[in-house]
Amino acid sequence: MIPVAIVGGGPAGLVSSILLSMSGIDHILFEQYPDTSIHPKACGINQRTVEIFQHIGIEEELVRARAPFDSVSHTAWYTSLGEGGIEIAKREAWGAGERAREYERNSPSRYSILPQIRLEPILKRRALSLNPKALRYRTKVLNVREEDDSVLLTVCANDGPEEEVRAQYVLGADGGRGFGQSIGIGWEGKQDIVEMMTVHFKAELEELQPDKRVFISWLINPTMRGSLGTGYCYHTGPYYPQREAKSQWVFAFPRLPEDPKTFESEAIVKRIQRSLGIPDLDIDLLSISSWTVNAIVAQQYRSKGGKVFLVGDAAHRFPPWGALGMNTGIQDVYNLVWKLALSNMLNHGNVMDTAIGIFPDASTEHNLEAVRAYTDPSHPEHKVKRDAVREAAADLDLEFNAPGIEIGWFYPSADINNEGEVTRHDGQLLQDGTYDVTNYHPSTIPGHNLPHAWLRKRTRDVSTRHLIRLDSFVLFANSSSWAPLQSELMHVKVVDSKEGWVDRDAMWDGLCGVRSSGAVLVRPDGIVAWRAQEWTPKAMQSFPEILNDILRPRPQD
């Protein structure tokens, strides 16, 4: 039996494979198509997603391949791009101009534009480098049956004979093609709002753009019933090593009742030429796809038996505006995989405490002495305890981003002490109780994303976000008094501007939300799990119980 099976090889599925490999979890991914996407699909990669890419080791390749920022810093509305076309409006976007400093303050990573058709190969290469046998293309999952102790999948490769694969868990990442419904989970919301056509083509269009800074050109041709009959256009690269004169573009438009059921190539070319207002534009068609705009969410993200999870478009399908679809899918799996990797940690309070020598009915001094023995190489019991912890870790199988909506989202259920009630979660909730989707309010209240702040040690500058670990919790401590808690389960990062990390720009001091001896505990997915206003012996003694409480399953985090 394989620990995890992934159904679907898009961004959510591929990132799942990467994270599982990095966590030491064997798995297999089934994708019915022969390779990565042939359509451009999603383009916007928000800051939180770029941070995840840094953690999984592809940020450098993303930066090299993405669109130059000066070519995607604006969006504009035109009557056409041809002769006589009028610019109706233009605005900065995606962290440019007036909001640049806000975006820089929110994250160490920049909002990026890279079409999915170019991102997926990067993810695939990374996934294969970590597990060359994990990806099975041309393999369709025909049936999924959840049993008492496992999940049985029936699959078919290359139209060959059916075979059965048994897995402990299954991640449904099929892009909303019916996986959830096949296991009895329905949709809620508005379906089939409008049918869209997307055309991927090559043309020498860059020199005809009124403003080279504009990424998306929204076309409102008054002779074609405005935007309803016109559409929008944007470039898709490739950008590295440089853009070709005849580069690639996408033109998308809503299908109208009077449109033919099937668009022939010649009709598509004429539609693009007319919408752009460039009747003699030489166009090479690459692909044509039809899709519907939906605003739906799965009735639940987890099967009744608890062994099948939905992620990405299999769990929620957004309208494309705001680029939430792919980003939320990747953030879904970033939230989920660490829990699969640490699923046995619910028992760690007994196993790991015993290894260290901490017991709930022992005195504070006894438990502190046990911690000292574990961390002090000169202690006579140090090696024994280190070996015991290492063995316990093996027994527990521990081989393991609009800024408001992109970064400011939080899990209310993780705020187990209701710290956010008094401050409306440090302003992320407005006075009327609604969510501030526009602005990001950094907070270390449990359930929130760890805020970004630059730290320095010697000549090395690192973001707090880059110190998050996939294989353990991280305790950001304002005092070295917390250092004895360092273990394989938890890494302690001391920010005291002395022997530990230096708060380079005094940002951490203003964002950490705790006093000079306090600490902030962060989960492997970057979510704050707990915080202490100040160091006390009681906090040290009760830490195993705190971890147990944090790791207790809750419905929405």
Side-chain angles (χ1 to χ4, degrees):
M1 179 169 65
I2 195 162
V4 180
I6 305 166
V7 181
L14 289 169
V15 171
S16 296
S17 174
I18 294 167
L19 289 169
L20 288 167
S21 293
M22 294 178 71
S23 300
I25 299 177
D26 195 16
H27 63 281
I28 192 166
L29 181 152
F30 299 109
E31 169 55 54
Q32 63 177 321
Y33 293 111
D35 208 336
T36 54
S37 177
I38 63 171
H39 302 296
K41 295 187 176 179
C43 289
I45 306 172
N46 67 36
Q47 291 174 286
R48 186 63 76 234
T49 301
V50 178
E51 290 175 11
I52 294 172
F53 288 167
Q54 189 274 336
H55 279 275
I56 66 175
I58 68 162
E59 185 184 24
E60 287 187 10
E61 195 167 358
L62 167 71
V63 169
R64 186 164 56 246
R66 70 188 177 189
F69 192 64
D70 60 6
S71 71
V72 292
S73 61
H74 288 68
T75 188
W77 290 257
Y78 302 100
T79 57
S80 76
L81 300 183
E83 186 177 351
I86 299 172
E87 179 186 295
I88 299 171
K90 181 167 57 187
R91 55 158 295 168
E92 297 163 335
W94 307 295
E98 292 183 357
R99 302 196 70 175
R101 294 195 66 179
E102 176 189 354
Y103 273 65
E104 291 171 3
R105 183 175 64 248
N106 292 345
S107 170
S109 301
R110 170 171 273 183
Y111 194 107
S112 300
I113 300 293
L114 184 67
Q116 192 171 323
I117 195 173
R118 312 199 193 288
L119 172 64
E120 285 189 14
I122 296 174
L123 294 171
K124 178 186 175 183
R125 286 193 293 273
R126 179 60 172 156
L128 289 174
S129 73
L130 295 170
N131 189 339
K133 298 181 180 179
L135 309 185
R136 289 182 58 179
Y137 287 93
R138 299 183 186 271
T139 303
K140 188 172 184 178
V141 176
L142 304 175
N143 187 52
V144 176
R145 186 172 76 245
E146 189 171 17
E147 299 179 349
D148 291 339
D149 61 348
S150 62
V151 183
L152 187 65
L153 299 93
T154 304
V155 304
C156 177
N158 294 316
D159 297 324
E162 295 180 5
E163 62 174 304
E164 291 185 339
V165 177
R166 192 173 293 277
Q168 185 178 359
Y169 295 105
V170 173
L171 305 187
D174 72 330
R177 298 190 185 98
F179 179 86
Q181 294 67 58
S182 73
I183 60 171
I185 300 178
W187 291 111
E188 295 179 350
K190 296 182 178 180
Q191 298 190 53
D192 302 329
I193 298 172
V194 62
E195 185 178 0
M196 297 289 296
M197 297 290 295
T198 296
V199 185
H200 185 206
F201 66 97
K202 292 183 71 173
E204 294 188 19
L205 190 54
E206 183 176 5
E207 292 304 316
L208 301 177
Q209 277 190 291
D211 189 331
K212 304 298 187 295
R213 300 173 300 171
V214 171
F215 175 51
I216 302 180
S217 297
W218 306 90
L219 302 166
I220 309 178
N221 191 325
T223 68
M224 299 177 66
R225 300 169 58 185
S227 58
L228 180 64
T230 314
Y232 56 93
C233 184
Y234 57 88
H235 54 77
T236 62
Y239 306 104
Y240 179 82
Q242 61 185 18
R243 286 178 68 179
E244 301 171 356
K246 197 168 190 177
S247 56
Q248 297 180 23
W249 299 79
V250 157
F251 176 70
F253 61 94
R255 182 189 283 275
L256 302 177
E258 61 268 26
D259 285 335
K261 291 184 178 180
T262 303
F263 274 97
E264 300 296 335
S265 296
E266 184 178 353
I268 284 286
V269 169
K270 289 183 177 179
R271 177 69 179 266
I272 297 173
Q273 292 170 334
R274 185 183 176 199
S275 297
L276 297 179
I278 310 173
D280 58 349
L281 182 66
D282 183 25
I283 294 174
D284 295 337
L285 295 180
L286 300 175
S287 68
I288 302 171
S289 61
S290 175
W291 51 284
T292 57
V293 175
N294 295 281
I296 52 179
V297 62
Q299 293 171 337
Q300 58 196 63
Y301 286 10
R302 190 176 187 179
S303 64
K304 292 181 180 179
K307 299 178 182 62
V308 182
F309 300 86
L310 303 181
V311 296
D313 283 357
H316 38 68
R317 299 181 68 182
F318 298 95
W321 335 123
L324 294 177
M326 181 181 70
N327 288 287
T328 53
I330 290 170
Q331 291 166 32
D332 283 348
V333 299
Y334 193 61
N335 170 275
L336 175 62
V337 169
W338 78 270
K339 296 173 184 176
L340 296 179
L342 305 179
S343 60
N344 290 330
M345 277 183 66
L346 291 175
N347 299 319
H348 92 276
N350 294 328
V351 176
M352 195 57 67
D353 282 16
T354 301
I356 299 175
I358 294 177
F359 302 97
D361 55 353
S363 68
T364 298
E365 183 54 34
H366 171 91
N367 289 337
L368 288 173
E369 179 60 23
V371 172
R372 280 192 289 270
Y374 176 69
T375 58
D376 184 0
S378 64
H379 197 285
E381 295 181 19
H382 175 73
K383 185 178 185 305
V384 173
K385 289 186 180 293
R386 284 280 177 177
D387 291 343
V389 167
R390 191 175 298 111
E391 184 177 345
D395 290 342
L396 291 169
D397 195 26
L398 292 178
E399 289 296 327
F400 29 85
N401 323 284
I405 196 67
E406 292 174 357
I407 303 176
W409 52 266
F410 61 92
Y411 296 107
S413 60
D415 184 15
I416 55 179
N417 295 320
N418 295 320
E419 296 182 52
E421 186 174 351
V422 176
T423 63
R424 301 191 318 277
H425 284 271
D426 286 339
Q428 200 63 64
L429 296 181
L430 301 174
Q431 290 187 352
D432 61 1
T434 59
Y435 183 84
D436 188 348
V437 299
T438 303
N439 301 298
Y440 166 50
H441 302 263
S443 174
T444 61
I445 292 173
H448 287 252
N449 282 279
L450 174 71
H452 156 61
W454 286 110
L455 305 179
R456 174 174 290 170
K457 181 177 285 188
R458 300 181 183 91
T459 59
R460 181 188 176 200
D461 289 353
V462 174
S463 167
T464 50
R465 299 288 309 177
H466 289 164
L467 292 175
I468 298 165
R469 297 177 62 95
L470 295 174
D471 60 352
S472 68
F473 285 76
V474 176
L475 187 72
F476 289 85
N478 291 347
S479 166
S480 60
S481 299
W482 297 94
L485 290 177
Q486 173 79 20
S487 70
E488 292 186 25
L489 291 174
M490 184 173 66
H491 282 66
V492 179
K493 303 294 183 183
V494 178
V495 186
D496 62 357
S497 297
K498 298 175 184 176
E499 296 181 0
W501 290 90
V502 174
D503 184 7
R504 193 190 76 177
D505 304 319
M507 290 177 62
W508 176 250
D509 182 59
L511 295 174
C512 67
V514 297
R515 298 171 189 154
S516 59
S517 68
V520 177
L521 182 66
V522 182
R523 304 184 331 193
D525 59 352
I527 299 297
V528 176
W530 172 86
R531 64 181 182 177
Q533 286 296 322
E534 57 188 0
W535 180 92
T536 64
K538 182 179 179 181
M540 297 286 285
Q541 180 186 11
S542 61
F543 211 84
E545 181 181 346
I546 292 168
L547 277 181
N548 273 334
D549 195 29
I550 290 168
L551 291 166
R552 187 172 297 117
R554 293 180 175 84
Q556 297 177 359
D557 68 346

